Amino acid sequence: MSDPNPLREGLTARPQPKPCTVVIFGATGDLTMRKLLPALYNLAADGDLPPKTQILGFARRPKTDEEWRKEMEDAVRKFSRQTVKDELWASFGQTIGYHQSEFHDDDGYKRLAERLDQIDREHGTGGRRLFYLSVAPDQFGIIVERLKKFGLHEGKDGGWARVIVEKPFGTDSASAHRLNEQIAGTFPESSIYRIDHFLGKETAQNIMVLRFANAIFEPIWNSRYIDNIQITAGETLGVEGRAGYYETSGALRDMIQNHLTQLLCLVAMEPPTDLSADSVRGEKVKVLRSLRPMKDSAEVNENVVRGQYAAGAIQGKPVPDYRTEKNVNPESMTETFVAMRVFVDNWRWAGVPFYVRSGKRMPKSGAEIAIQFKRAPGVLFNRQDGESSGNSLVIRIQPDEGVALKMQAKLPGGALRIEPVKMDFQYGSSFGRPSPEAYERLILDAMGGDATLFARRDEVEEAWKFVDPIEESWAGKRGPAPKMCFYPSGSAGPDESDELLARDGRQWRRM
Ligand code: BG6
């Protein structure tokens, strides 16, 4: 499609993007306070934010620049990765402004266009505009149409206009397609950045480096040597006041369709021809197209477990069941846990199950990918059968980002006893500095015009096509609906999740 992106050539030092104005739609929302402003501040604190970058919040509530700035200061002080330095805030705070308007109000966009021109004149932002849509998907179309109407879909005076779109990107392939069509009516694909924050996590980015910058892994990265792959993302949190959204989503749409499928693609894809956004994303799409579809509820039943948390305890503290959480339907059939067995039907992965699971109210918060290698032949040292005799390579996405290789070693002493040991690489201790937050990296990439870590249109739609039949089966549209399995909060999911692997003679890694 397009030429290799010069920003990524050889992964050498990246030129700093030029300053732009970041316009955040949904400026008073949770994400803006918890993630976006703290990310922008941390970029500034690390010297990565192009000097003169301006930030403009766009939302419905009446507020002055000063009021919003103060709210953002409080939010950044609360949620920032680094402690806020007063001197830096004094200058950073001055780059923040607020623009009040309804999302559908033409006049608001007319004023926005004038204000952006003024910012360009006063701050040298060069007609470069980054629109961040941190709003519900039904607002995407309304906003981008108006941006176009007032000429804001293109940069000015040699600048550019780009749009970052937050999840959820639709609820199925048809709605994702409609959203794509709406946005494509305003912006070309090269200017659309569909965010999946898991791709911005340091260890997720390291998957490609691990695989393609080392010669030792690729020869064994296939069905001859790998027994199975387990991808897990668990969190101790429950629905946390997000029932309005979560009740229409559930774990499959919230975590699996996007974050975990993206991780699966990075692990399973073929080496791209170069590191351009389109080469990398093209390889990921091939994986998505190779996912074995589940066509009816019998196949879903065989391969997928849906669960919902019941009352239980998290770190010793009692927590209620999902159905009694605020704004949750007391008969809710929304899943808070999914475990599934997925096959990638291509030459490399023929017959290798990918076990994927994600859940709320798990015993621990964390995300990892475990590559479980086949066992050594059962001769010499490996006569006793047992789970411990296989090697595994575990990529810890969070927390304690790192990579660990489990292998067998001889216990010191006269007797020949063999125990599993770990070779462990930890980001924190190896590089001596904390990893940036995913949003920092992703916002900076969008400013620099690098879409590699963002989902392309076909990626999103293909991922939905895989998920759609599962949702439809659960809704009883493809045969009798598979059951909901309940699990106590604080456990690693329902028993049926363990049975899914036990049927294959395997077990989950412990969470
Ligand atoms: C979000 C989901 O995309 O990812 C949340 O909507 C989930 O439900 C979150 O809690 C997990 O992300 P992280 O980075 O906190 O692990």
Side-chain angles (χ1 to χ4, degrees):
M1 282 162 102
S2 65
D3 285 341
N5 189 325
L7 281 180
R8 220 158 249 287
E9 269 173 14
L11 284 182
T12 47
R14 305 172 337 137
Q16 201 182 41
K18 294 196 171 128
C20 64
T21 306
V22 184
V23 183
I24 303 175
F25 289 85
T28 52
D30 215 41
L31 187 81
T32 306
M33 292 194 292
R34 284 175 183 271
K35 297 288 181 190
L36 305 185
L37 262 292
L40 287 160
Y41 173 82
N42 280 290
L43 285 171
D46 288 345
D48 289 329
L49 191 70
K52 299 193 201 158
T53 297
Q54 302 294 304
I55 301 161
L56 193 59
F58 186 120
R60 298 168 247 213
R61 288 180 220 164
K63 256 183 233 296
T64 61
D65 286 344
E66 200 41 60
E67 280 164 345
W68 193 58
R69 196 174 291 149
K70 180 73 187 87
E71 282 172 29
M72 292 305 106
E73 179 176 353
D74 295 344
V76 173
R77 286 190 189 276
K78 187 160 169 202
F79 297 114
S80 167
R81 174 169 69 79
Q82 312 181 54
T83 314
V84 172
K85 294 199 190 94
D86 292 341
E87 339 64 277
L88 178 59
W89 185 268
S91 55
F92 179 80
Q94 288 314 307
T95 66
I96 298 177
Y98 184 76
H99 187 78
Q100 189 275 327
S101 172
E102 295 288 335
F103 293 145
H104 59 260
D105 180 8
D106 280 6
D107 181 58
Y109 291 82
K110 188 164 161 279
R111 289 185 288 111
L112 177 65
E114 289 160 7
R115 187 153 179 191
L116 289 174
D117 286 346
Q118 188 189 346
I119 290 176
D120 285 340
R121 284 194 302 275
E122 289 174 5
H123 300 282
T125 36
R128 291 175 289 269
R129 287 94 192 250
L130 182 61
F131 299 106
Y132 199 120
L133 305 192
S134 175
V135 296
D138 56 357
Q139 307 289 327
F140 294 170
I142 296 172
I143 294 171
V144 296
E145 270 168 29
R146 288 176 180 66
L147 290 176
K148 185 171 183 183
K149 189 164 173 188
F150 292 91
L152 291 167
H153 60 306
E154 287 169 342
K156 265 195 119 170
D157 308 325
W160 44 254
R162 296 181 188 136
V163 62
I164 302 185
V165 190
E166 257 299 331
K167 68 177 277 248
F169 201 85
T171 51
D172 55 16
S173 60
S175 56
H177 182 75
R178 277 196 303 278
L179 287 176
N180 275 327
E181 287 291 293
Q182 280 174 343
I183 303 172
T186 294
F187 290 98
E189 179 63 26
S190 58
S191 303
I192 304 171
Y193 292 72
R194 295 173 197 80
I195 208 158
D196 185 313
H197 78 283
F198 264 56
L199 290 179
K201 292 183 189 278
E202 198 64 54
T203 327
Q205 296 171 49
N206 193 37
I207 296 172
M208 274 216 294
V209 178
L210 181 84
R211 290 189 55 195
F212 306 133
N214 295 293
I216 59 171
F217 297 119
E218 216 36 36
I220 55 170
W221 208 263
N222 55 49
S223 60
R224 279 188 70 188
Y225 297 94
I226 293 178
D227 179 77
N228 72 91
I229 293 181
Q230 301 189 8
I231 304 179
T232 298
E235 45 192 349
T236 54
L237 293 178
V239 67
E240 312 297 316
R242 294 166 74 217
Y245 153 72
Y246 201 78
E247 276 280 277
T248 62
S249 159
L252 185 64
R253 292 187 174 110
D254 187 48
M255 293 292 291
I256 307 267
Q257 184 272 343
N258 37 58
H259 308 323
L260 271 63
T261 304
Q262 284 288 345
L263 295 181
L264 186 152
C265 287
L266 289 172
V267 169
M269 72 185 203
E270 296 301 314
T273 43
D274 55 52
L275 294 169
S276 70
D278 276 326
S279 297
V280 173
R281 298 189 298 179
E283 292 305 332
K284 287 198 285 168
V285 168
K286 287 186 204 160
V287 175
L288 293 169
R289 293 207 180 116
S290 310
L291 295 179
R292 187 183 301 171
M294 296 174 211
K295 57 181 182 311
D296 54 29
S297 55
E299 289 185 3
V300 170
N301 225 350
E302 203 184 314
N303 293 292
V304 189
V305 174
R306 60 167 162 170
Q308 192 185 78
Y309 62 80
I314 298 286
Q315 282 136 19
K317 245 184 82 195
V319 291
D321 60 312
Y322 178 71
R323 289 181 176 181
T324 60
E325 299 262 25
K326 196 167 157 229
N327 295 331
V328 171
N329 175 352
E331 288 167 20
S332 174
M333 286 297 280
T334 301
E335 78 287 357
T336 60
F337 174 94
V338 175
M340 61 204 293
R341 183 177 66 162
V342 181
F343 288 97
V344 180
D345 282 336
N346 61 19
W347 273 63
R348 185 190 285 264
W349 296 115
V352 178
F354 286 68
Y355 299 108
V356 179
R357 68 182 159 164
S358 177
K360 295 209 181 273
R361 291 282 190 234
M362 297 280 105
K364 274 207 271 184
S365 291
E368 64 165 41
I369 302 168
I371 318 291
Q372 310 272 25
F373 291 94
K374 290 189 170 160
R375 294 193 186 143
V379 292
L380 306 179
F381 302 117
N382 296 299
R383 293 237 179 83
Q384 298 145 310
D385 236 33
E387 205 253 337
S388 64
S389 60
N391 299 105
S392 58
L393 183 74
V394 179
I395 304 169
R396 287 190 305 273
I397 308 290
Q398 62 188 29
D400 310 325
E401 297 117 311
V403 182
L405 179 65
K406 192 182 90 179
M407 57 192 164
Q408 309 303 320
K410 181 186 164 298
L411 214 64
L416 183 64
R417 281 186 51 208
I418 294 177
E419 286 281 318
V421 291
K422 253 193 335 190
M423 265 168 65
D424 206 349
F425 148 63
Q426 299 191 339
Y427 265 81
S429 51
S430 296
F431 295 122
R433 62 190 150 100
S435 303
E437 276 256 339
Y439 278 94
E440 297 171 31
R441 168 66 193 259
L442 294 174
I443 292 174
L444 198 62
D445 277 5
M447 286 179 177
D450 184 350
T452 312
L453 300 178
F454 293 82
R456 201 169 61 188
R457 174 178 181 149
D458 48 353
E459 259 181 288
V460 172
E461 292 188 20
E462 288 293 336
W464 277 121
K465 280 187 202 151
F466 176 69
V467 160
D468 283 351
I470 305 174
E471 290 286 357
E472 286 169 15
S473 297
W474 286 348
K477 294 180 189 159
R478 291 182 179 235
K483 65 176 177 181
M484 177 66 80
C485 308
F486 296 90
Y487 59 98
S489 290
S491 72
D495 294 343
E496 287 81 352
S497 160
D498 295 332
E499 286 157 18
L500 178 73
L501 273 71
R503 283 204 299 275
D504 293 346
R506 302 188 175 98
Q507 49 185 307
W508 287 109
R509 281 171 47 79
R510 207 142 57 106
M511 270 197 203

